[in-house]
Amino acid sequence: MLTDKQISKLKEILGTPIKIAIIMHKSPDGDAVGSSLGMKSYLEKFGHKVSVLSPNAYPEFLKWMPGTKSVIDFEKTATIANQAILKAELIIFLDFNSLKRIGDLEIAVKKSKAYRLVIDHHPQPENFAEYAYHNAGASSTAELVYDFITLLGDNKKIHKDIANCLYAGIMTDTGSFRFSSTTAHTHEVVAELMRHGAETAKIHRFIDDNNRDIRLRLLGYAVTEKMKILPDFATGFITLTQSELKRFDYKDGDTEGLVNEPTSVKGIVFSALFTELKDGEIKISFRSKDNFDVNQFARNHFNGGGHRNAAGGKSDLSMDETIIRFLTLLSDYKKELKG
Ligand SMILES: [Mn+2]
């Protein structure tokens, strides 16, 4: 959390127009993009020159957000991205807590002499910014960006564009207010965002009802043909190989939310989605209910991390080997899973 002294200093830094770089994590999700573009709209009200940087592309269903066209994709334009970082007087890191999550953008960040502010809600933060507004109990980074703007005394400056972006971040990170991370405060923030013009029904439509039909067929295939339910371990999982993804014309973001499906089966508390990337690496998403800690599970066994009930990891083994390893681990965790 920020001390009063730090808040005054941040107000002083932001007191005159400066150059600011906002950095999102790799494969940014709704919270990362919503927080970043909401923050950009807010800061631009004060005449700051704000660049938003992403390590790689982000899904089509988030491209309705105001400011989306200005996002600099490091994978496409590395030089422009690096220049934006080196010119910045303040770098803001949103929705991650380890520089590992920004790939090679880290190189320019390490060279930069700028002030650094991180706003995030992931557990076990690394210490890489002198200003850290961190709360692992927050539903989303977007909720924290709202709190941060309030902390600076600028609540009244929130307008429709900011409200829409922050609402999208909160809504996507809470699974539309279903996950246990959703608090009374989350709903209070959302109420405030609505008062400031957030167009909630429209945003749900943009995000939820924006499928290509082939995407829906991929999800149907994954659930019908590929989902395994293991009642003895209160676990469900889905695997998708490259050739299966290709068959359904896979685009970034197409499997968003799929990992939640097994947890909708009665009695299932742990779910995993294994996706084979183009380079053969297996990307894994984990979800859980109640006390089963997937952040710890991902950290311990799959080189990843995240939140207690939502985390990610990876495996360099083949898909089959990865699944054998996963099933072996399930036996070790049987007591916890069934407890
Ligand atoms: Mn988040």
Side-chain angles (χ1 to χ4, degrees):
M1 284 290 116
L2 295 165
T3 63
D4 289 347
K5 208 174 147 198
Q6 285 182 310
I7 295 163
S8 313
K9 179 69 184 164
L10 278 168
K11 281 186 186 168
E12 190 191 311
I13 294 168
L14 294 168
T16 48
I18 54 169
K19 291 191 187 72
I20 299 171
I22 296 174
I23 306 184
M24 339 193 215
H25 59 73
K26 216 169 172 202
S27 303
D29 57 7
D31 190 27
V33 179
S35 302
S36 298
L37 292 177
M39 182 64 110
K40 172 185 157 80
S41 285
Y42 161 68
L43 292 168
E44 282 176 347
K45 272 193 84 74
F46 301 90
H48 301 300
K49 204 174 170 310
V50 186
S51 310
V52 176
L53 310 169
S54 177
N56 58 351
Y58 63 89
E60 285 298 319
F61 71 87
L62 296 172
K63 294 199 173 160
W64 55 270
M65 281 190 214
T68 199
K69 288 212 173 70
S70 66
V71 175
I72 302 166
D73 178 348
F74 176 79
E75 236 169 45
K76 283 188 191 140
T77 50
T79 320
I80 298 173
N82 288 333
Q83 274 168 359
I85 290 173
L86 295 172
K87 278 186 195 153
E89 288 143 275
L90 168 67
I91 303 178
I92 305 178
F93 306 89
L94 295 179
D95 199 40
F96 59 93
N97 63 18
S98 158
L99 286 182
K100 269 188 286 183
R101 303 264 344 255
I102 61 172
D104 285 343
L105 276 170
E106 185 182 354
I107 299 163
V109 167
K110 287 208 159 136
K111 277 188 209 151
S112 156
K113 300 267 188 299
Y115 295 108
R116 296 163 185 223
L117 164 67
V118 58
I119 302 179
D120 180 52
H121 69 133
H122 292 83
Q124 294 158 277
E126 277 174 19
N127 186 11
F128 60 87
E130 64 270 35
Y131 298 98
Y133 190 57
H134 179 267
N135 178 3
S139 73
S140 53
T141 297
E143 181 181 314
L144 288 174
V145 169
Y146 174 89
D147 291 337
F148 176 77
I149 293 173
T150 307
L151 205 60
L152 294 191
D154 289 330
N155 189 291
K156 290 206 170 62
K157 302 246 161 58
I158 295 176
H159 55 67
K160 190 177 82 182
D161 283 357
I162 303 174
N164 279 342
C165 289
L166 297 184
Y167 180 82
I170 298 173
M171 171 220 155
T172 50
D173 249 28
T174 57
S176 294
F177 315 101
R178 290 191 299 128
F179 302 151
S180 58
S181 57
T182 311
T183 63
H185 180 65
T186 310
H187 285 288
E188 279 157 7
V189 169
V190 164
E192 277 303 306
L193 293 175
M194 289 178 82
R195 288 189 191 103
H196 289 278
E199 299 159 294
T200 56
K202 203 164 117 185
I203 295 169
H204 282 267
R205 214 160 62 230
F206 281 148
I207 291 181
D208 296 328
D209 306 337
N210 199 15
N211 282 327
R212 293 170 301 133
D213 64 339
I214 198 160
R215 184 205 171 203
L216 204 54
R217 290 176 207 287
L218 168 65
L219 301 181
Y221 168 78
V223 171
T224 312
E225 307 281 335
K226 303 303 303 282
M227 184 172 74
K228 300 271 184 292
I229 297 292
L230 309 172
D232 288 350
F233 300 94
T235 296
F237 70 94
I238 296 171
T239 58
L240 286 170
T241 63
Q242 258 306 302
S243 71
E244 289 168 320
L245 294 173
K246 271 191 199 131
R247 196 175 130 198
F248 290 95
D249 189 29
Y250 174 81
K251 300 262 190 298
D252 283 337
D254 276 356
T255 53
E256 190 81 31
L258 180 58
V259 64
N260 297 314
E261 295 302 334
T263 60
S264 73
V265 176
K266 192 174 177 188
I268 299 302
V269 300
F270 180 33
S271 154
L273 170 66
F274 300 85
T275 321
E276 186 187 4
L277 302 180
K278 280 192 191 117
D279 62 5
E281 187 181 285
I282 309 293
K283 182 188 154 212
I284 318 170
S285 300
F286 296 110
R287 293 292 183 276
S288 69
K289 287 198 239 172
D290 307 327
N291 293 328
F292 190 69
D293 186 344
V294 289
N295 170 42
Q296 217 47 57
F297 186 86
R299 276 175 193 264
N300 290 348
H301 307 294
F302 289 102
N303 204 3
H307 306 277
R308 189 184 54 161
N309 294 127
K314 58 185 179 176
S315 162
D316 294 327
L317 303 171
S318 72
M319 182 67 91
D320 289 348
E321 289 165 332
T322 302
I323 297 306
I324 290 168
R325 175 132 193 274
F326 178 67
L327 294 174
T328 312
L329 285 165
L330 284 184
S331 315
D332 300 342
Y333 284 87
K334 190 169 181 179
K335 248 199 183 142
E336 265 183 71
L337 288 162
K338 291 298 278 183

